[in-house]
Amino acid sequence: MATDALNAVSDAEIIASSLNDPEAFAALFDSYHAMLYRYVSFRLGPEVAEDLVNEAFLIAFRRRRSYDLSYRDARPWLLGIATKLIARYRRAEVSRYRALERQHPLQRVEGPEEAITHDLIAAGARPALLHALSLLSRGDRDVLLLVAWSDMTYDEAARALDIPLGTVKSRLNRARRKVRDALGDVNPLKEDSDG
C-alpha cells in the first residue's frame, strides 16, 4: 500500500500533464468533486452547489497554467477558488443561515460535517451556531469553515484564501471566540473530554 502511495501521481503532475493533454485535468475533477460539493453544499445549500463546483473547476482549468507546480496538493487551490465564488453569494449565505436558524429539521448532507451537524442538532445548539455564523465577517467565516469543516491546515487555508498565515490565525481565533460567546462559552467545533 505504501508503494502505491509513492507511485501515485501528484495533483501538480496532473495539472502539468493537462497543459499538453487537457483531458488529463479530468483526474482532478474525479478526485475532488465530492469534497468540493460537500463544502459548497454546506455553505450555500445543495441547490447551487453543483453549478458553483462546476464553475470552480472551469476556473481552475482555465487558470491551470498559472498553478504553482511546487505544491503537489491542489486541494487548497481548488477550495480557494470555491471560497471566492462563495463570496459572491455572501448575502444569500447569510440569509440561508438565518432561515435555517428558524427551520427544523435539518436537511442532511453527506460528508464529515454531517456528524458535527447531527451533534449540534441533538444538543440544540444548531440555531445558535447558525446565528453566530451569520454574524461573522465573510473573512472570519471563510477561515473558520475551511479549517473546521474542510479539515484544512492553517497553511492550506492561507493558500486557499491567498492571505498570510498570521491573518488565518487571527481570523480563526476571532471567529472561534465570537462563536463561543454566542453559544455561551461552548465551542461546538471541539468535543468535550470528560475526565
Side-chain angles (χ1 to χ4, degrees), residues 43-44 88-98:
R43 296 286 307 267
L44 296 176
R88 292 182 189 172
Y89 289 92
R90 183 168 184 256
R91 273 188 244 147
E93 179 182 27
V94 170
S95 296
R96 178 170 172 76
Y97 287 150
R98 289 186 179 145

Side-chain angles (χ1 to χ4, degrees), residues 7-186:
N7 292 332
V9 177
S10 74
D11 296 342
E13 291 169 317
I14 291 169
I15 293 168
S17 174
S18 77
L19 297 177
N20 294 323
D21 177 15
E23 291 182 14
F25 197 82
L28 278 185
F29 182 89
D30 293 341
S31 295
Y32 294 114
H33 180 271
M35 181 262 314
L36 277 180
Y37 180 83
R38 283 190 304 270
Y39 175 68
V40 174
S41 182
F42 185 79
R43 296 286 307 267
L44 296 176
E47 50 283 340
V48 296
E50 191 65 38
D51 288 340
L52 197 135
V53 169
N54 289 338
E55 186 177 351
F57 277 106
L58 182 60
I59 290 169
F61 180 78
R62 289 178 179 159
R63 294 183 184 166
R64 71 191 190 281
R65 290 190 186 285
S66 65
Y67 182 77
D68 183 347
L69 296 174
S70 68
Y71 293 110
R72 294 179 51 85
D73 181 7
R75 190 173 61 111
W77 178 58
L78 293 169
L79 280 164
I81 292 169
T83 299
K84 289 174 184 169
L85 288 172
I86 287 169
R88 292 182 189 172
Y89 289 92
R90 183 168 184 256
R91 273 188 244 147
E93 179 182 27
V94 170
S95 296
R96 178 170 172 76
Y97 287 150
R98 289 186 179 145
L100 286 172
E101 182 181 355
R102 297 182 298 268
Q103 187 178 17
H104 297 282
L106 174 66
Q107 181 181 357
R108 295 174 69 101
V109 176
E110 289 189 30
E113 68 277 2
E114 184 176 354
I116 294 170
T117 304
H118 179 70
D119 291 343
L120 291 174
I121 292 168
R126 183 174 160 267
L129 176 62
L130 292 170
H131 178 71
L133 289 173
S134 74
L135 296 175
L136 294 176
S137 70
R138 180 183 58 86
D140 289 356
R141 186 172 45 251
D142 288 345
V143 168
L144 178 67
L145 294 178
L146 281 172
V147 171
W149 287 326
S150 292
D151 294 326
M152 296 191 91
T153 66
Y154 294 178
D155 288 331
E156 289 172 333
R159 275 185 38 221
L161 297 173
D162 195 25
I163 58 175
L165 179 61
T167 302
V168 167
K169 290 178 181 180
S170 63
R171 286 181 182 178
L172 188 57
N173 183 44
R174 182 172 47 246
R176 285 178 172 160
R177 186 181 68 246
K178 287 179 178 180
V179 168
R180 269 194 306 271
D181 290 348
L183 297 175
D185 271 342
V186 174

Side-chain angles (χ1 to χ4, degrees), residues 191-195:
E191 292 183 24
D192 292 330
S193 57
D194 296 318

